[in-house]
Amino acid sequence: SPNEHKLNFKKSKEACLSYIQDALLQKQWKRAAEFLTCYVESLEKDYSREHIGPSEMIWRIGSEILWHHSQSNMKEFNCFMEQMKTLGVKRYLKVCLEHVFHLLCNGQIDEAYQNLSLAESWRFGEQTAIQDKEMKLIQAYRGLLDYCSWSKQKNILLENGEDGFSDLAVEQEMHGYFRKAAVNLKEIIKIPGVWDVFVKCYVDLLEFYGDHNEARQVLNEYAYNSKFPANPNAHVYLYQFLKRQGESKKSLISALKILHDIVPSHELMIDFNTMLQKSKKRKKRRLGLEVIFAALDYAGWKENAKAWSCLARQVKQIVISEKHLDWIKQEWNSRKDWWPAFHFSRYLAKRNWLENQSLSYEKALVAGILLGKDCKYFKYISHQGCKAQLKRFRMLKKFVNRHNPVCLRISG
Amino acid sequence: RDFNERCAQCSEVNWGLTDGGRFYCRSCHNVTERTREVVNTDFITNSRVQTISKGSRKQEQKDGGCEWYICEGFQLVLKTQVEALEALGVCPQMKDEILCNFWRCYLQKTEQAYCKRPAGETVKALSVCESSTDVDSDPERPSLLHLLSLSESEGDVQTDCSFASSVSKVSESTSVYSGSVDGSLYLVKSQKEKLRMTMPMTLSFCYMALLWVREPITLSELLRFVVEGHIPYLNVFQHFPEKMKLCGLDLKIFCVESWPVYEEVFNKMHELAAFLDLPRFPDITESCFLHPDMLCMKYLMEANLPDELHNWTCRVVKKIGIGEVDFLTLTPGNKSTRKVKYDVLAAAVIVVVLKLLFLLDDHYEWLLSEFAEERNKNNTEVCLFYSGGPYFEFKKWYEVVKHSLDVKQKKLDEERAKYLWRCEKPLFYSVKNKSKVLKRRQMVVNLQNQFGKLSGSVQRAEKPNPSSFQLSWSEENTDGSCFHRHSLKGILQEKCGLLTAMNPDYWLCTVKLCNEKLCGHLAHYREVEFPQSYHFVLGLFSFLLRIQPSYIHDEVCMIEHKLFNKKLSKKLKYNTVLRK
């Protein structure tokens, strides 16, 4: 169209926004403020057809600038947020919530609590029902702050308790906070979502007051209810709880199983493997091997001596017994093309030897078993170790040499 | 007052004017049918066109407002614009004699005043005093919502959902839809017969008057002054007196939300000139500023090109006859002559000259530049002094100009992004809307203050003084960044006593011109299809004139086809390079 290049209000503001965006990305707060000053008059124009209107833009951009600008302070920030709350009733609770987050980041717990309470009492016709989710969040965060207060009181009580004094007032207060916190936290974790903080706090409360059944139920729901998004932490929390409760290895293992599926590189995989290795059931031991191999696929584990020692222990065990060599073969099959370069290069041998002898010991053992006594890693380490006249390295060399035929069967 | 006929009844010459605009004899009170026409040039623009209303005008309304008509509003707009032009140095006759005459003529032709039955009289505002059934039963009268949804290219204010919805709610209350008396009718009038006044058209009026008086302001300059704020356009209603209340549909007429486009103002001006049955405009001769020879000189200076190029532009102008009085002077209504865009034409001539001398095929001009550079290195200062300036090096010129241009363009882009469209005077569509609008305005002012303080030491720059030259190059600069005195001798040669270019070739922008009437353009410019140097040169003038490169490209094509007319008519193969 001939008028495409016509410069008008809309295009001018679009250009203004892109300058703001550039300035924000480069953390040029002064420049961003300069352009935002020119953008704000968009509020006087109706953008009801646009997906994101100017009032939302100004709220988000303004918050960023005021949060980071060197000449800005909390007073300015708060004043701005109050204005933003009046701009869009459909966004009221969201703005309140974000404001609370900022206050918390700034350490203003009391102000945050006040704002949450205020927001909780907000009513606005049908909007109240529409913004139900935000309302639940607000209540949940208030519950969280109640939990913090509870925690503080609890600590005071425990300290005083050591002295032999028990302060009834403090205790009452503590129970009061518990009740307030529990009610709200319980509500939010019913809704499918990622609520790590809330769950942890709620479980902490329940455990303190001895309601272990409820705690267990909550954690099970959180971990196993398919409506909830897959969340590795849910399983971690459950595992930790069960461990605290002194549950059987069987239930502990079952708690970690899904974690292995979701996050094979999780740090708890060491615990998992340790438990599985010791199991009497063949399947479990098999799984253990799978778990430890999978963990060591990840770069973050390369220098983890503990992990290597787990793997070393297990493969050594298998080689000695000469049973289930096919397990190792299966695991090694998909790794034999890349593990040598990934873990057992000559460069790594030198480095590992210099930096961490225990690590190189464990690794050398595994290398010797998987790749045979002629692999460069094993050769280098064992040579160095023997040169340094360290007993265990001599033992290592002997062991690998003795079992070499078995090893060849693996790598063959 | 100048009506000199004798009264039919008493043969006296003692005339007065009725409210209806008719002459009546003061002696015998005989009322004639003659209405006061455009007879004298002593019209005082200060007085409002009071003769429009038949009855006595209701001066005061509840809110201190008064009745006013849309054309009165536009008259005020024109007044402020022409006063601004006067402040810029335009001769005062333009206001008192030229523009007001044009305006009165327009009013008469569109039957808004100075005629037997002004259209304004029969206007009834679409107020809610009428019952809704009346409005609905009239099938020809469009519903108000339909009116609001009309988004014509001339109507700059976009239709807002809130506007429409607030108006529909208003039908229950007793608000009026427009502050003016005939605002609603104004939008309904069919555009076919008469030229309806719009904001961009006020600039057409100004330009028309400027052209008549042959002031040294081109249309591109006029539009640039508008954007820079030297001539009221955006938010011009701020200058309306308090009594003239603006609301509702008036906003759609007077509030602009986009800058006027050259083509639009230009075309409208010609339409207007024809509509008003104006005679041939005063001649544009060689001594006029608007003559291509003069404008080329100006643009050559501004583009930092050697003065010597002026000889060449004059030669081209002469050869293709675009310096002729008859070509340049506007004769309204003459459909056969091409309407002349003086500024674009001059720029295009320079582009053609550059192509003639430098070829601009992304290769030859750099070659020539290298030669010039060599020669400049070898010459001593004394040589240069005597031979009149160093050899012009295209490369150096390109670097210097590009740098300045980039800086200016960047600044312009930022200014455009920072432009403030709203003003202090708030606008409401309806009374119900008012408090919301005021609240919003207050919030905007608060936010501007808050973030303005955080903008650092950057203060909003004062409006720069209007200047005719956007780029200036001083010969005092010892860094050699001014090329006016540079010589073209490296690229010229003498043949048969005439200086010609060493460059033997030329490439046409297009072999065949489009039909302008069908597709609006003579050619279609796409950057990728042309050499970078050509694009750069177009871009330079595009910046100076604030128009799209394609418009200059069109003129270049036109000039080329005139210049190489004979060779083209021999029907050469497509894309052949011409030998001059």
Side-chain angles (χ1 to χ4, degrees):
Chain A
S1 105
N3 285 338
E4 244 163 36
H5 61 275
K6 203 168 174 178
L7 185 66
N8 56 20
F9 186 97
K10 189 167 172 218
K11 286 208 180 124
S12 169
K13 292 308 169 201
E14 275 170 16
C16 194
L17 263 184
S18 73
Y19 277 102
I20 296 176
Q21 188 180 33
D22 282 346
L24 287 177
L25 285 171
Q26 295 176 56
K27 302 197 201 285
Q28 293 171 327
W29 309 113
K30 283 204 175 91
R31 193 168 150 86
E34 192 189 326
F35 280 93
L36 185 62
T37 313
C38 305
Y39 180 76
V40 295
E41 61 171 13
S42 305
L43 285 176
E44 297 184 89
K45 183 106 174 68
D46 176 46
Y47 275 73
S48 52
R49 278 177 233 144
E50 303 283 329
H51 182 56
I52 298 181
S55 48
E56 188 166 350
M57 286 286 187
I58 290 169
W59 164 47
R60 292 199 184 279
I61 295 170
S63 314
E64 273 307 293
I65 295 175
L66 287 171
W67 190 246
H68 291 107
H69 199 290
S70 52
Q71 282 170 322
S72 169
N73 52 40
M74 275 318 278
K75 187 160 163 246
E76 292 262 350
F77 189 86
N78 291 335
C79 172
F80 173 75
M81 287 308 248
E82 292 305 325
Q83 280 195 298
M84 291 299 106
K85 285 175 191 171
T86 66
L87 255 190
V89 73
K90 290 191 191 147
R91 233 180 294 118
Y92 179 77
L93 288 180
K94 226 189 265 188
V95 177
C96 284
L97 204 52
E98 294 248 352
H99 187 196
V100 162
F101 292 156
H102 281 107
L103 287 168
L104 288 174
C105 286
N106 202 43
Q108 291 174 283
I109 315 280
D110 291 334
E111 281 88 347
Y113 195 85
Q114 275 166 29
N115 271 288
L116 283 169
S117 306
L118 206 68
E120 230 183 310
S121 62
W122 180 76
R123 299 280 178 274
F124 200 96
E126 60 176 19
Q127 280 298 320
T128 325
I130 293 172
Q131 297 184 43
D132 176 61
K133 286 207 179 85
E134 286 85 346
M135 185 58 92
K136 285 241 156 52
L137 269 175
I138 285 178
Q139 287 164 334
Y141 276 98
R142 193 167 73 77
L144 188 64
L145 291 183
D146 284 326
Y147 167 85
C148 292
S149 304
W150 171 86
S151 193
K152 233 192 325 188
Q153 299 299 83
K154 180 187 84 169
N155 289 336
I156 292 174
L157 212 61
L158 287 174
E159 271 175 37
N160 292 349
E162 280 169 18
D163 293 347
F165 292 105
S166 80
D167 193 334
L168 203 64
V170 171
E171 214 179 306
Q172 295 283 29
E173 237 186 298
M174 191 184 87
H175 294 320
Y177 282 128
F178 158 70
R179 275 192 289 274
K180 282 202 278 188
V183 155
N184 285 327
L185 291 175
K186 186 171 178 176
E187 276 307 300
I188 192 79
I189 59 182
K190 279 193 198 152
I191 306 171
V194 178
W195 309 123
D196 288 357
V197 170
F198 301 135
V199 166
K200 269 179 98 169
C201 296
Y202 188 48
V203 166
D204 188 28
L205 287 172
L206 291 170
E207 278 193 88
F208 183 83
Y209 285 93
D211 195 349
H212 303 290
N213 282 330
E214 177 73 7
R216 185 195 308 263
Q217 209 177 348
V218 162
L219 287 169
N220 271 315
E221 266 290 292
Y222 195 50
Y224 295 121
N225 187 338
S226 55
K227 288 203 195 111
F228 282 69
N231 184 354
N233 293 332
H235 301 275
V236 173
Y237 298 153
L238 178 61
Y239 169 77
Q240 287 168 340
F241 172 77
L242 293 172
K243 205 168 168 191
R244 285 197 294 274
Q245 297 292 306
E247 297 272 329
S248 68
K249 284 276 184 300
K250 188 171 171 202
S251 56
L252 288 177
I253 284 172
S254 112
L256 286 178
K257 186 139 192 340
I258 299 186
L259 184 61
H260 161 68
D261 288 334
I262 316 175
V263 189
S265 60
H266 199 278
E267 59 184 1
L268 283 176
M269 291 301 108
I270 291 185
D271 290 20
F272 196 32
N273 166 269
T274 309
M275 285 192 286
L276 288 167
Q277 262 192 52
K278 294 191 193 142
S279 169
K280 295 204 178 84
K281 297 245 172 76
R282 196 183 335 142
K283 259 195 183 161
K284 296 244 160 63
R285 294 200 303 276
R286 175 70 187 87
L287 178 62
L289 193 65
E290 185 186 316
V291 163
I292 195 68
F293 260 106
L296 285 166
D297 280 339
Y298 290 86
W301 288 77
K302 272 168 104 163
E303 313 208 329
N304 190 322
K306 190 87 183 24
W308 282 106
S309 82
C310 285
L311 178 60
R313 190 182 334 131
Q314 203 166 2
V315 295
K316 186 175 178 185
Q317 233 280 318
I318 289 171
V319 162
I320 289 173
S321 69
E322 293 198 32
K323 268 201 239 172
H324 308 300
L325 287 169
D326 55 311
W327 288 0
I328 302 183
K329 209 165 179 189
Q330 279 161 19
E331 291 300 326
W332 186 234
N333 224 4
S334 57
R335 293 174 170 93
K336 63 179 184 233
D337 291 325
W338 61 280
W339 265 42
F342 191 57
H343 288 302
F344 303 127
S345 67
R346 198 169 153 73
Y347 166 76
L348 279 173
K350 285 191 183 159
R351 213 178 84 184
N352 293 153
W353 176 251
L354 279 173
E355 289 174 2
N356 191 341
Q357 272 186 13
S358 303
L359 173 71
S360 55
Y361 172 80
E362 305 291 349
K363 276 180 78 174
L365 178 51
V366 175
I369 292 173
L370 293 173
L371 292 166
K373 65 175 168 61
D374 292 320
C375 89
K376 34 186 185 226
Y377 193 91
F378 173 75
K379 269 172 100 168
Y380 182 85
I381 298 292
S382 60
H383 176 74
Q384 293 293 324
C386 293
K387 208 166 70 174
Q389 298 191 334
L390 295 165
K391 187 177 176 191
R392 58 177 176 163
F393 285 93
R394 266 190 289 129
M395 307 278 285
L396 171 67
K397 196 168 179 183
K398 275 191 197 160
F399 176 85
V400 172
N401 281 325
R402 201 184 326 139
H403 292 276
N404 201 40
V406 175
C407 304
L408 286 175
R409 262 192 272 161
I410 294 170
S411 53
Chain B
R1 266 150 250 151
D2 282 357
F3 186 43
N4 289 324
E5 276 194 18
R6 290 187 175 279
C7 169
Q9 264 180 247
C10 66
S11 307
E12 291 266 321
V13 183
N14 188 6
W15 298 103
L17 271 180
T18 67
D19 276 356
R22 299 190 192 136
F23 290 101
Y24 74 96
C25 176
R26 283 210 187 94
S27 316
C28 65
H29 301 283
N30 171 33
V31 180
T32 71
E33 290 301 296
R34 281 288 292 274
T35 53
R36 196 169 72 130
E37 287 168 17
V38 179
V39 282
N40 68 18
T41 56
D42 295 334
F43 186 71
I44 303 160
T45 6
N46 283 329
S47 65
R48 287 213 218 140
V49 183
Q50 294 271 354
T51 51
I52 291 177
S53 61
K54 193 156 72 159
S56 61
R57 185 201 293 270
K58 270 202 301 241
Q59 277 302 316
E60 291 297 314
Q61 287 180 344
K62 270 187 294 188
D63 54 354
C66 69
E67 282 188 350
W68 59 278
Y69 288 81
I70 294 290
C71 58
E72 287 181 88
F74 276 116
Q75 188 165 310
L76 265 175
V77 171
L78 283 172
K79 178 165 167 274
T80 56
Q81 286 174 342
V82 79
E83 279 169 359
L85 280 168
E86 221 174 307
L88 287 178
V90 167
C91 66
Q93 285 105 315
M94 204 187 97
K95 169 181 160 190
D96 300 328
E97 295 174 16
I98 312 303
L99 190 60
C100 73
N101 268 336
F102 285 160
W103 178 243
R104 280 158 52 208
C105 186
Y106 170 79
L107 286 176
Q108 191 179 31
K109 290 250 184 222
T110 53
E111 292 173 17
Q112 288 176 79
Y114 303 112
C115 53
K116 263 189 164 184
R117 195 179 60 81
E121 281 187 66
T122 57
V123 167
K124 270 199 297 183
L126 279 178
S127 70
V128 279
C129 306
E130 301 164 334
S131 65
S132 53
T133 49
D134 279 349
V135 178
D136 292 336
S137 63
D138 187 345
E140 279 171 14
R141 188 106 67 98
S143 72
L144 200 59
L145 281 177
H146 172 67
L147 257 184
L148 297 172
S149 65
L150 285 175
S151 52
E152 307 113 31
S153 55
E154 288 166 40
D156 289 317
V157 175
Q158 289 161 7
T159 317
D160 301 345
C161 293
S162 63
F163 184 178
S165 57
S166 74
V167 167
S168 57
K169 280 185 215 138
V170 158
S171 52
E172 269 82 64
S173 71
T174 53
S175 315
V176 185
Y177 295 110
S178 67
S180 64
V181 176
D182 58 341
S184 49
L185 209 75
Y186 212 79
L187 291 172
V188 172
K189 268 192 223 165
S190 81
Q191 295 142 274
K192 286 181 207 151
E193 317 124 10
K194 297 162 188 177
L195 274 184
R196 201 180 43 149
M197 193 64 185
T198 61
M199 278 306 290
M201 222 159 105
T202 61
L203 297 176
S204 301
F205 265 96
C206 289
Y207 178 55
M208 196 163 68
L210 285 169
L211 186 58
W212 186 275
V213 186
R214 295 174 294 184
E215 280 286 340
I217 298 183
T218 59
L219 178 55
S220 53
E221 265 186 310
L222 175 68
L223 295 178
R224 182 165 61 86
F225 289 154
V226 168
V227 172
E228 288 175 1
H230 305 298
I231 296 176
Y233 185 74
L234 194 74
N235 301 328
V236 70
F237 52 82
Q238 280 183 105
H239 301 282
F240 286 8
E242 264 301 299
K243 289 191 289 179
M244 276 172 83
K245 300 281 180 199
L246 225 79
C247 70
L249 292 166
D250 303 329
L251 270 54
K252 213 163 158 33
I253 298 166
F254 287 105
C255 297
V256 264
E257 290 210 338
S258 63
W259 289 120
V261 175
Y262 186 106
E263 283 270 297
E264 196 185 332
V265 176
F266 182 79
N267 291 334
K268 246 327 178 254
M269 187 278 256
H270 287 271
E271 241 184 278
L272 195 57
F275 176 73
L276 297 178
D277 278 329
L278 294 179
R280 178 177 155 121
F281 273 52
D283 286 349
I284 308 278
T285 59
E286 274 165 8
S287 55
C288 268
F289 178 79
L290 295 173
H291 191 276
D293 287 342
M294 297 285 266
L295 278 178
C296 279
M297 184 143 63
K298 177 185 187 253
Y299 292 148
L300 282 171
M301 270 182 76
E302 211 170 352
N304 201 11
L305 286 166
D307 298 339
E308 274 183 38
L309 283 171
H310 189 244
N311 301 332
W312 290 86
T313 62
C314 291
R315 275 169 78 173
V316 168
V317 166
K318 191 149 185 218
K319 182 117 200 263
I320 58 176
I322 58 172
E324 302 298 310
V325 171
D326 291 332
F327 175 81
L328 291 171
T329 309
L330 173 62
T331 311
N334 184 345
K335 298 221 176 120
S336 57
T337 56
R338 192 161 186 273
K339 304 189 215 119
V340 181
K341 296 176 179 151
Y342 304 98
D343 35 20
V344 187
L345 186 65
V349 168
I350 297 177
V351 173
V352 169
V353 164
L354 287 175
K355 278 175 78 178
L356 282 168
L357 297 177
F358 296 96
L359 189 56
L360 294 187
D361 65 343
D362 281 345
H363 182 68
Y364 191 71
E365 66 272 19
W366 306 108
L367 216 64
L368 286 177
S369 189
E370 272 173 37
F371 288 147
E373 199 182 344
E374 277 301 310
R375 291 211 181 92
N376 277 335
K377 256 193 255 174
N378 296 334
N379 279 347
T380 61
E381 293 261 344
V382 177
C383 268
L384 279 176
F385 180 76
Y386 280 113
S387 61
Y391 288 80
F392 174 73
E393 291 175 49
F394 187 87
K395 177 164 177 239
K396 252 187 159 181
W397 171 82
Y398 172 84
E399 282 166 358
V400 168
V401 172
K402 179 161 172 38
H403 173 75
S404 292
L405 192 61
D406 285 346
V407 167
K408 293 262 172 183
Q409 183 71 56
K410 185 166 174 223
K411 194 159 163 245
L412 182 66
D413 289 339
E414 279 196 17
E415 269 167 26
R416 282 182 174 157
K418 295 210 284 201
Y419 207 84
L420 288 179
W421 297 79
R422 294 278 187 232
C423 66
E424 291 307 311
K425 187 165 176 176
L427 310 163
F428 334 108
Y429 292 117
S430 66
V431 174
K432 234 193 182 186
N433 204 237
K434 186 171 178 179
S435 61
K436 184 177 175 197
V437 169
L438 285 174
K439 251 195 246 170
R440 275 285 157 111
R441 181 75 209 153
Q442 188 56 50
M443 177 168 301
V444 167
V445 169
N446 287 342
L447 289 172
Q448 281 174 337
N449 283 336
Q450 185 170 31
F451 288 100
K453 274 186 254 163
L454 295 176
S455 301
S457 53
V458 177
Q459 289 300 319
R460 278 199 73 79
E462 287 304 310
K463 221 166 45 175
N465 283 330
S467 71
S468 195
F469 284 84
Q470 298 175 71
L471 295 172
S472 63
W473 314 93
S474 169
E475 268 158 56
E476 266 98 59
N477 285 353
T478 48
D479 56 358
S481 61
C482 178
F483 293 83
H484 296 153
R485 291 290 193 80
H486 286 219
S487 165
L488 296 176
K489 56 185 183 288
I491 60 168
L492 299 174
Q493 61 192 357
E494 241 191 81
K495 262 189 190 167
C496 319
L498 247 186
L499 267 182
T500 58
M502 274 180 55
N503 168 36
D505 298 327
Y506 193 92
W507 54 271
L508 285 178
C509 286
T510 173
V511 174
K512 189 159 189 276
L513 291 177
C514 276
N515 186 337
E516 205 167 17
K517 293 203 174 69
L518 285 180
C519 69
H521 288 278
L522 283 176
H524 298 270
Y525 177 67
R526 289 221 310 264
E527 184 188 336
V528 291
E529 292 171 6
F530 291 91
Q532 294 276 53
S533 300
Y534 178 70
H535 178 71
F536 173 73
V537 167
L538 278 191
L540 172 60
F541 290 106
S542 165
F543 171 80
L544 290 175
L545 300 181
R546 303 276 199 272
I547 57 173
Q548 293 293 295
S550 50
Y551 291 139
I552 308 177
H553 180 75
D554 271 4
E555 295 291 299
V556 169
C557 292
M558 186 270 289
I559 293 172
E560 286 179 349
H561 275 249
K562 279 199 202 266
L563 200 56
F564 297 106
N565 197 12
K566 290 195 199 109
K567 295 217 168 95
L568 279 170
S569 58
K570 282 185 194 161
K571 291 197 181 150
L572 289 168
K573 270 194 296 200
Y574 182 73
N575 265 345
T576 312
V577 173
L578 294 179
R579 297 248 144 202
K580 293 200 288 252

